[in-house]
Amino acid sequence: MNITHPESLLFWTVLVFIILLFLLRKFAWKPILSAVKTRENSINDALAAAEEARKEMQNLKADNERIIKEARAERDTLLKEAREMKEKIIADAKEEAQQQGSKIIAQAKAAIEGEKKAALAELKSQVAGLSVEIAEKVVKQEFSDKDKQLELVENMIGEVGTLN
Amino acid sequence: MRQNFETRYFLEIKDMSIARKTVKTLAFLTLLFVSPVFSQEHHNDQSGDSGEEAFDPTEVIMHHISDSHEFHIFGDVSLPLPVILWTNNGLVTFMSSEFHHDETGEVIVEKNGMKFVRYHDEIYYAGADGKLSFDGEHHPLNDRPLNFSITKNVFTLFLSAALMLLIFIPVAQSYKKNQGAPKGLAGFMEPLILFVRNDIAIPNIGKKKHEKYMPYLLTVFFLIWLGNLFGLIPFFPFTGTLTNDIVFTGVLAVFTFLITTFSGNKHYWGHIFATPGVPKPLLLIMIPVEVLGMFTKPFALMVRLFANITAGHIVILSLFSLIFIFKTAAVSPVSIAFALFMFVLELLVAALQAYVFTLLSALFIGQAVDDHH
């Protein structure tokens, strides 16, 4: 291949290339590159903002979880306290009931004892009355026979003596 | 981190250089294969046309990958392009159709009292007899005016530049209306622009300093890519390949060189003229090596892009030439299959070379503006 009239292409290439470079730089490359850069920046900003929001969300979620946890713990302690109180009340009631019961029982025993004593005393007095009546009747009957009367008195006295 | 990036990219570049070597070997073999015919060309010229001309793949291929004053459309139809000459008597312009497709110096165009002839795409002042005189190696001895014609490659350059303006300015405007996710064309272009920014500029130049160089890197990336792709579209108004002209790749490489040199901070120059950790006497060797390195880097950029794209075109055209060399259509399935494979490979190479050029430009700029080593 022979290089013929190199000056033609040399001249036109230098001229056209410089004009093309100037025109494209001013009207194409700079606007395109700056638009792309602006967009890239806005995309990066948007991504950063999204990341920020995500972190905030995470913080909120953690807060919520913490609050729920605290509430749960509080509920648990409340429940525990209530249970303890219930048990205490029951235990107290039981003790009181027991005390009351034993007191009543003691009173009842005392009353029964008293009643028993009274009954025994009454019985004794009635037995004595009856004995006197019986004795009167027996005496009345026995007094028909003198010897028998005496013998009886002796026996009875002896009996009473052993009775006591 | 920085070190990692560099090793990664150097590994990638190594991989790419293997692929490049394969393509280059193919191209070299093709050239070897067609070179006997190449020498025959001059022989034919001297002996004159004797009846039916033999098919000359070299001429076809060289014609295809060379610049031209006409834009060949199909068959005998060509789009004439303006010829702009800076002559001894000032500016002269006319349409290339006035040469009537002549490339042998036969047709004389007379303008402003001057006579011009065209010989193998180069326009000369015609001699007093209206003829060209040649030296022993058949090179014309006549003077030639400075030629600023809108050639096929310049036309393709205009087309690429216009298309880039038509694509990217509306894309830029769409961002004013639409603040959200990109839609339509912007949705397609934005990942490419971001690719240049995130995978080429930022890793090599750094987050702080890359913005200043983004317009250059983006313009170069898309211009090379479009220029490569246009050459793969086989119909008008495309077919012209900017990047298989070493002048075009050279101009881009010079721009990278200028940006690198003028962006260089004290660390960069310190590295060149007082390489840290090198004993003083060794600097006698190191300084010339480093200075040479400043120029070899852009030179490699120029040749790499030019050679890759040209090689791909030569291989594809050679495969099609096989049909005419063997003079049978039976070869065509093989030619078409291989050429299809090459086309797909070239689609990849088109993007890859744009990437490599931009990446290496960014790497060189990054080395020039790097703050610490």
Side-chain angles (χ1 to χ4, degrees), chain A residues 4 7 12 37 39-40, chain B residues 121 144 147 190 197 211:
Chain A
T4 52
E7 68 274 15
W12 290 112
K37 204 173 176 186
R39 202 179 58 219
E40 272 173 357
Chain B
D121 196 46
R144 67 180 189 85
N147 189 337
E190 194 184 301
R197 192 191 67 174
E211 276 175 22

Side-chain angles (χ1 to χ4, degrees), chain A residues 1 3-5 7-13 16-17 20-21 24-25 27-29 32 35-37 39-40, chain B residues 62 69 121-122 144 147-148 150-151 154 158 164 172 180 182 190 197 211 215 219 245-246 248 251 255:
Chain A
M1 179 183 158
I3 300 172
T4 52
H5 48 83
E7 68 274 15
S8 64
L9 192 61
L10 184 76
F11 170 75
W12 290 112
T13 305
V16 170
F17 187 81
L20 184 69
L21 182 63
L24 283 178
R25 193 173 83 139
F27 297 110
W29 305 136
I32 291 173
V36 167
K37 204 173 176 186
R39 202 179 58 219
E40 272 173 357
Chain B
M62 288 303 148
H69 284 96
D121 196 46
E122 196 78 271
R144 67 180 189 85
N147 189 337
F148 296 109
I150 310 296
T151 59
V154 177
F158 288 170
M164 276 179 76
E190 194 184 301
R197 192 191 67 174
E211 276 175 22
T219 310
D245 199 310
I246 200 159
F248 177 77
V251 169
F255 276 121

Side-chain angles (χ1 to χ4, degrees), chain B residues 69-86:
Chain B
H69 284 96
E70 275 109 12
F71 202 125
H72 181 245
I73 299 172
F74 58 85
D76 289 334
V77 185
S78 292
L79 177 77
L81 295 167
V83 174
I84 303 166
L85 301 174
W86 182 255

Side-chain angles (χ1 to χ4, degrees), chain B residues 81-291:
Chain B
L81 295 167
V83 174
I84 303 166
L85 301 174
W86 182 255
T87 66
N88 299 333
N89 302 334
L91 204 65
V92 173
T93 56
F94 55 92
M95 292 307 277
S96 65
S97 52
E98 294 194 31
F99 283 116
H100 300 290
H101 297 285
D102 173 62
E103 296 275 2
T104 57
E106 301 288 327
V107 178
I108 300 162
V109 177
E110 227 180 308
K111 295 278 167 189
N112 288 15
M114 287 171 288
K115 290 175 179 171
F116 303 103
V117 289
R118 187 168 64 175
Y119 180 78
H120 284 189
D121 196 46
E122 196 78 271
I123 295 171
Y124 298 93
Y125 293 116
D129 54 349
K131 293 281 178 193
L132 284 169
S133 43
F134 296 98
D135 64 7
E137 283 164 351
H138 210 69
H139 295 304
L141 289 167
N142 298 41
D143 286 336
R144 67 180 189 85
L146 282 178
N147 189 337
F148 296 109
S149 304
I150 310 296
T151 59
K152 184 177 165 182
N153 282 347
V154 177
F155 176 84
T156 308
L157 175 68
F158 288 170
L159 195 70
S160 310
L163 193 71
M164 276 179 76
L165 293 175
L166 281 177
I167 290 172
F168 289 108
I169 291 177
V171 165
Q173 275 162 351
S174 80
Y175 282 91
K176 282 181 195 156
K177 293 173 221 144
N178 176 22
Q179 304 288 337
K183 282 191 285 191
L185 197 57
F188 181 75
M189 288 303 167
E190 194 184 301
L192 297 171
I193 294 169
L194 289 184
F195 168 74
V196 174
R197 192 191 67 174
N198 296 342
D199 291 324
I200 296 177
I202 292 179
N204 289 301
I205 305 177
K207 197 145 187 80
K208 272 187 250 163
K209 294 176 180 168
H210 79 280
E211 276 175 22
K212 197 172 145 195
Y213 304 101
M214 278 308 291
Y216 175 70
L217 295 174
L218 284 167
T219 310
V220 163
F221 180 78
F222 285 105
L223 187 63
I224 293 176
W225 196 9
L226 268 186
N228 289 346
L229 287 179
F230 275 14
L232 294 175
I233 305 173
F235 51 80
F236 185 81
F238 306 106
T239 71
T241 319
L242 272 179
T243 41
N244 76 13
D245 199 310
I246 200 159
V247 176
F248 177 77
T249 62
V251 169
L252 293 188
V254 166
F255 276 121
T256 296
F257 171 75
L258 290 177
I259 292 173
T260 311
T261 308
F262 286 110
S263 309
N265 57 15
K266 61 173 194 279
H267 297 282
Y268 175 70
W269 295 112
H271 200 86
I272 289 173
F273 291 108
T275 319
V278 172
K280 281 257 151 44
L282 259 185
L283 282 180
L284 275 177
I285 307 170
M286 285 305 288
I287 290 172
V289 168
E290 289 285 345
V291 171

Side-chain angles (χ1 to χ4, degrees), chain B residues 21 33 36 47 52 75 177 193 196 271 283 300-301 304 325:
Chain B
K21 267 180 196 152
F33 173 65
S47 66
E52 198 180 317
K177 293 173 221 144
I193 294 169
V196 174
H271 200 86
L283 282 180
L301 276 184
R304 179 186 297 109
I325 291 167

